């Protein structure tokens, strides 16, 4: 794991996110750590697909699953990483909150998603130009062109959306702008990125015979409300074993027994199914 982070890393990442909508750190974790993450993702996916509401479709042959921290062996290492903390602090403030842990998996046959953002623009962003959330992404595989890489349109995180479907999906008349700006990302195991989920993006067609799992860590500013859409929980025993530096950012229920999460992304899943 990369533990030596320059003192200005957070501010440089903040500048990149406000300018381009995304930034990244290569080699933040070892490939061994990333391989263990993939094992945990595959275990969680098999469980989620075995029950109703365990996984939500995000287009043909593409699913999203939300999980609890205890389902990811490397959770503490992830949220304790100095770059993650530095970026979250610089963008969202020292009292940022971890609100989401999940993963996307596009399988062979997944098609281009429509251009979209992950949720409607908050009023604080529209009126004050302040970003109040971040999505950290970690690939579980070494990404290649054939796998249908993530594609993002840098600098679109502040695009206003009076005509966006559900506040998230720009009309096709806007696509020329995003196609012109589009950049495909090819992260390798161990890399991590941070982006505003408002930056317009999409998954592309998976031409390969391999899946491309990607972990998602969602983080909010104290006044953001994305936690309303998620159901993170931890058991008492797990909570008691967490470092205080992790506890202070993890505001979720402490329970006797974990309940499998039923996914809530119904609108997104419905529209993605049209891709």
């Amino acid at each position: 794991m990369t533990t030596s982070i320059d003192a200005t890393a957070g501010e440089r990442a903040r500048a990149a996110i406000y300018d381009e909508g995304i930034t990244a750190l290569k080699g933040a974790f070892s490939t061994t750590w990333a391989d263990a993450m993939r094992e945990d993702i595959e275990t969680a996916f098999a469980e989620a697909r075995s029950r109703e509401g365990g996984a939500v479709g995000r287009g043909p042959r593409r699913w999203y699953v939300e999980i609890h921290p205890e389902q990811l062996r490397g959770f503490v290492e992830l949220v304790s990483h100095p770059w993650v903390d530095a970026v979250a602090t610089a963008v969202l403030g020292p009292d940022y909150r971890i609100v989401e842990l999940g993963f996307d998996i596009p399988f062979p046959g997944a098609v281009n998603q429509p251009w979209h953002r992950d949720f409607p623009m908050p009023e604080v962003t529209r009126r004050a130009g302040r970003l109040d959330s971040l999505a950290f992404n970690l690939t579980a595989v070494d990404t290649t062109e054939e796998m249908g890489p993530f594609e993002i349109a840098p600098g679109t995180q502040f695009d206003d959306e009076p005509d966006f479907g559900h506040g998230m999906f720009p009309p096709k008349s806007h696509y020329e702008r995003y196609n012109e700006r589009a950049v495909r990302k090819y992260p390798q195991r161990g890399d991590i990125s941070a982006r505003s989920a408002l930056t317009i993006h999409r998954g592309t067609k998976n031409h390969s015979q391999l899946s491309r799992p990607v972990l998602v860590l969602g983080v909010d500013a104290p006044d953001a409300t994305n936690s309303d859409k998620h159901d993170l929980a931890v058991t008492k025993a797990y909570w008691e074993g967490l470092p205080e530096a992790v506890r202070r950012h993890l505001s979720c229920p402490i329970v006797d027994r974990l309940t499998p999460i039923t996914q809530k992304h119904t609108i997104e899943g419905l529209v993605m199914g049209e891709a």
Side-chain angles (χ1 to χ4, degrees):
M1 183 173 79
T2 299
T3 57
S4 178
I5 300 297
D6 185 278
T8 64
E11 288 305 319
R12 286 187 281 111
R14 183 182 189 278
I17 290 168
Y18 268 82
D19 182 30
E20 298 291 312
I22 189 169
T23 189
L25 177 67
K26 294 190 68 64
F29 297 92
S30 69
T31 56
T32 301
W33 187 95
D35 290 343
M37 178 184 73
R38 179 173 186 173
E39 291 175 4
D40 292 344
I41 286 174
E42 290 176 344
T43 297
F45 184 70
E47 186 281 327
R49 290 286 287 163
S50 72
R51 57 186 171 83
E52 185 176 356
V56 64
R58 285 188 163 175
R61 300 290 295 161
R62 191 186 300 267
W63 284 273
Y64 171 80
V65 174
E66 185 174 354
I67 59 175
H68 296 299
E70 287 165 71
Q71 294 176 263
L72 183 71
R73 283 170 284 172
F75 176 76
V76 171
E77 289 84 357
L78 170 57
V79 299
S80 300
H81 194 286
W83 189 81
V84 172
D85 179 65
V87 175
T89 298
V91 177
L92 307 174
D95 297 322
Y96 66 84
R97 297 177 298 126
I98 299 162
V99 299
E100 176 188 12
L101 184 67
F103 54 86
D104 281 295
I105 307 184
F107 283 86
V111 302
N112 287 344
Q113 291 178 313
W115 287 108
H116 66 283
R117 55 177 37 130
D118 290 339
F119 42 77
M121 182 180 289
E123 283 303 309
V124 69
T125 304
R126 179 176 292 109
R127 295 179 179 178
R130 175 167 66 86
L131 299 174
D132 67 353
S133 67
L134 285 174
F136 291 89
N137 292 141
L138 300 94
T139 180
V141 296
D142 293 336
T143 310
T144 66
E145 178 66 25
E146 293 75 21
M147 288 179 180
F150 177 82
E151 192 169 50
I152 192 165
T156 58
Q157 64 273 28
F158 297 112
D159 284 17
D160 208 353
E161 76 286 356
D163 52 355
F164 280 25
H166 306 291
M168 298 162 56
F169 296 88
K172 291 184 177 180
S173 59
H174 289 42
Y175 278 21
E176 182 177 358
R177 167 174 164 78
Y178 306 129
N179 292 336
E180 289 175 349
R181 290 172 171 259
V183 175
R184 291 193 171 191
K185 299 294 184 178
Y186 303 94
Q188 305 295 290
R189 289 173 298 155
D191 297 347
I192 183 170
S193 66
R195 62 183 172 89
S196 167
L198 301 178
T199 312
I200 303 299
H201 63 278
R202 65 179 180 178
T204 62
K205 185 174 182 178
N206 187 348
H207 296 275
S208 76
Q209 296 304 307
L210 303 171
S211 63
R212 186 179 61 79
V214 178
L215 191 77
V216 181
L217 176 72
V219 184
D220 269 4
D223 59 340
T225 60
N226 290 306
S227 60
D228 296 347
K229 308 178 188 72
H230 305 291
D231 291 311
L232 281 188
V234 295
T235 61
K236 183 178 180 181
Y238 186 77
W239 175 261
E240 291 175 348
L242 289 173
E244 179 57 33
V246 174
R247 287 190 200 180
R248 68 183 298 266
H249 296 297
L250 190 60
S251 55
C252 68
I254 302 170
V255 298
D256 293 328
R257 178 180 293 181
L258 294 174
T259 300
I261 296 173
T262 298
Q263 311 306 322
K264 295 181 178 179
H265 299 258
T266 52
I267 292 177
E268 184 174 358
L270 176 65
V271 178
M272 289 295 187
E274 298 173 359

